[in-house]
């Protein structure tokens, strides 16, 4: 049994790494971090031209029609480069929701626009603090209009369309939740950018006031669709996190080999060796879980819920661990703005919350394994 990516997928990874090394250097990330632009528009255009935005979108909708394994490969490289573009919100969340539940007309309208880089999308799920749950959704849908507030919404201030989770009944059931599609240019929704730890991945507050919306999927099936979207996004985001963890490890290793103290590289000191070894172990364990998740995602296996949770947990822990220890290896220099360590630390903590907290996924894994064992 082959547990690795194919030669073609590895070639795609190499192409993505080469492209991002040229087009998404540290300077590009800092331009968005320090400036007023919400994302790197030239990079977004280049990703579209390379076919990376539509790698998992079927050919009949303007995509490459490759599949989720290929998307996992691209996601890892996006994480390594800290790409300052709305890739996860558009590709992992909005596009996946359309692929799962969109009508033919909705897919024809938005999926080609995503693949070509002409449109960005996102998912409006959260309504303040807390983890995903049907009970936490209070925004109301009635008569084809939405009223309420969603925050934080990833890249909500720059999205062209939004998939919105709304309450259509008040019985406290999963079936009280439905999904709706909102064109941000149609009116009835106001976006306000929020301050967050990683400005290269924006967050927004969206206020809906009698906003016209069209159903996405069957009425009352919203939470079921959301659960599938979150599991898929968890695997894809985990690959981003593993990419970031690996790069943070490499940065720490390279600095430890170059930095001289007391006449020798600091990498020769036992404490630094142990720190780097721990980083390597956490990143490698996370990669193992991510590969399991990639298999389950690409085959639509029944194990996907457990695999997605395991990948999400291990990758979150690995990225935060490696990003933090990378700063420690760099010592005092690691805390300065001039070094890139803080950018990986920012992204590690931002991605740790994007789909629900670590504790949410830990509880989900335990619950899913318990139900599976009881079946």
């Amino acid at each position: 049994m082959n547990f690795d990516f194919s030669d073609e997928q590895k070639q795609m990874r190499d192409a993505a790494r080469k492209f991002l090394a040229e087009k998404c250097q540290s300077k590009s990330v800092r331009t968005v971090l320090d400036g007023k632009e919400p994302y790197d528009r030239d990079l977004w255009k280049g990703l579209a031209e390379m076919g990376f935005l539509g790698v998992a979108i079927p050919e009949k909708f303007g995509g490459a029609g490759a599949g989720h394994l290929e998307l996992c490969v691209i996601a890892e490289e996006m994480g390594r480069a800290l790409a300052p573009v709305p890739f996860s919100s558009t590709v992992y969340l909005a596009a996946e929701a359309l692929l799962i539940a969109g009508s033919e007309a909705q897919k024809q309208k938005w999926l080609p626009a995503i693949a070509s880089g002409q449109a960005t999308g996102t998912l409006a799920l959260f309504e303040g603090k807390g983890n995903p749950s049907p009970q936490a959704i209070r925004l109301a849908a009635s008569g084809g209009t939405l009223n309420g507030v969603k925050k934080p919404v990833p890249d909500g201030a720059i999205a062209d369309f939004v998939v919105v989770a709304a309450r259509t009944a008040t019985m406290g059931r999963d079936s009280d939740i439905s999904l709706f599609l909102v064109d941000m240019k149609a009116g009835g929704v106001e976006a306000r950018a929020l301050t967050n730890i990683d400005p290269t991945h924006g967050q927004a507050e969206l206020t809906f006031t009698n906003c016209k919306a069209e159903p996405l999927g069957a009425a009352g099936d919203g939470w079921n669709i959301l659960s599938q979207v979150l599991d898929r996004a968890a695997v894809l985001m985990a690959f981003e996190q593993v990419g970031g963890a690996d790069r943070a490890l490499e940065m720490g290793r390279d600095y430890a080999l170059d930095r001289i103290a007391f006449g020798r590289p600091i990498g020769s000191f036992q404490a630094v060796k142990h720190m780097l070894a721990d980083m390597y172990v956490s990143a490698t364990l996370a990669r193992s879980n991510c590969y399991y998740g990639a298999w389950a995602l690409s085959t639509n296996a029944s194990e996907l819920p457990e695999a997605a949770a395991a990948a999400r947990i291990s990758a979150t822990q690995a990225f935060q661990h490696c990003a933090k220890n990378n700063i420690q290896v760099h010592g005092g220099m690691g805390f300065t703005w001039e070094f890139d360590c803080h950018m990986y630390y920012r992204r590690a903590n931002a991605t740790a919350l994007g789909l629900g907290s670590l504790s949410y996924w830990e509880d989900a894994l335990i619950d899913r394994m318990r139900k599976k064992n009881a079946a």
Side-chain angles (χ1 to χ4, degrees):
M1 183 177 292
N2 185 7
F3 291 98
D4 201 359
F5 290 107
S6 68
D7 291 340
E8 292 79 9
Q9 290 157 353
K10 291 178 181 179
Q11 289 173 2
M12 180 177 289
R13 178 185 62 195
D14 294 341
R17 185 170 299 187
K18 181 179 179 181
F19 171 80
L20 290 167
E22 179 181 348
K23 302 295 184 180
C24 187
Q25 299 176 359
S26 172
K27 182 180 178 180
S28 301
V29 181
R30 287 178 176 272
T31 298
V32 176
L33 180 63
D34 296 334
K36 296 181 179 180
E37 286 296 318
Y39 69 102
D40 189 332
R41 300 179 191 277
D42 290 336
L43 177 60
W44 186 252
K45 180 180 178 181
L47 290 168
E49 292 172 349
M50 292 291 290
F52 296 151
L53 299 183
V55 68
I57 294 175
E59 291 183 52
K60 68 176 182 176
F61 298 122
H68 284 99
L69 283 180
E70 287 75 13
L71 183 52
C72 288
V73 166
I74 301 302
E76 182 178 344
E77 297 309 312
M78 298 292 285
R80 281 181 60 90
L82 298 182
V85 290
F87 190 80
S88 57
S89 56
T90 300
V91 178
Y92 309 162
L93 297 173
E96 288 299 321
L98 284 167
L99 288 169
I100 292 172
S103 66
E104 189 71 14
Q106 290 168 339
K107 292 177 181 178
Q108 289 288 356
K109 179 179 180 180
W110 292 113
L111 290 178
I114 290 174
S116 64
Q118 296 176 357
T120 62
T122 189
L123 171 66
L125 171 58
F126 295 97
E127 299 183 19
K129 296 180 180 179
N131 286 310
S133 73
Q135 294 72 31
I137 298 173
R138 298 179 296 276
L139 183 142
S142 178
T145 62
L146 305 179
N147 286 279
V149 177
K150 290 287 188 180
K151 67 173 183 181
V153 180
D155 299 308
I158 59 175
D160 294 298
F161 72 97
V162 184
V163 176
V164 184
R167 179 169 294 281
T168 51
T170 58
M171 301 296 290
R173 302 168 302 185
D174 291 2
S175 57
D176 291 348
I177 307 302
S178 298
L179 294 186
F180 295 86
L181 195 60
V182 174
D183 187 335
M184 292 291 282
K185 296 178 182 178
V189 56
E190 179 182 353
R192 180 176 69 88
L194 299 174
T195 301
N196 73 312
I197 191 173
D198 184 10
T200 64
H201 271 196
Q203 301 282 353
E205 176 184 276
L206 301 185
T207 302
F208 299 86
T209 306
N210 295 323
C211 176
K212 295 293 183 181
E214 56 182 289
L216 180 71
D221 198 33
W223 190 251
N224 175 48
I225 299 168
L226 280 171
S227 298
Q228 296 178 60
V229 172
L230 290 176
D231 283 347
R232 293 186 181 195
V235 175
L236 297 167
M237 183 63 75
F239 271 92
E240 271 204 24
Q241 293 170 301
V242 164
D246 274 356
R247 182 63 192 126
L249 169 59
E250 291 170 6
M251 290 168 63
R253 177 204 62 197
D254 293 345
Y255 186 80
L257 292 174
D258 291 340
R259 178 73 168 91
I260 304 297
F262 304 105
R264 52 194 282 200
I266 64 171
S268 64
F269 297 122
Q270 191 174 47
V272 177
K273 287 181 180 180
H274 287 176
M275 195 178 300
L276 291 170
D278 287 344
M279 293 164 69
Y280 175 80
V281 169
S282 63
T284 302
L285 287 173
R287 181 174 296 279
S288 176
N289 281 288
C290 285
Y291 277 29
Y292 180 43
W295 164 80
L297 176 60
S298 64
T299 60
N300 197 27
S302 61
E303 294 90 344
L304 177 57
E306 302 93 76
R312 171 67 175 165
I313 293 165
S314 59
T316 297
Q317 293 173 332
F319 195 8
Q320 289 186 310
H321 177 73
C322 290
K324 180 182 71 174
N325 279 8
N326 181 37
I327 295 175
Q328 295 296 322
V329 171
H330 279 74
M333 297 301 294
F335 290 86
T336 64
W337 191 264
E338 289 74 16
F339 275 62
D340 291 343
C341 302
H342 67 92
M343 296 195 295
Y344 284 85
Y345 188 74
R346 289 171 181 271
R347 184 64 63 85
N349 286 283
T351 54
L353 297 173
L355 301 174
S357 68
L358 181 60
S359 62
Y360 166 79
W361 287 98
E362 289 173 337
D363 290 343
L365 177 59
I366 293 171
D367 184 57
R368 292 169 183 184
M369 292 181 68
R370 182 185 293 118
K371 289 181 179 178
K372 184 176 180 179
N373 291 335

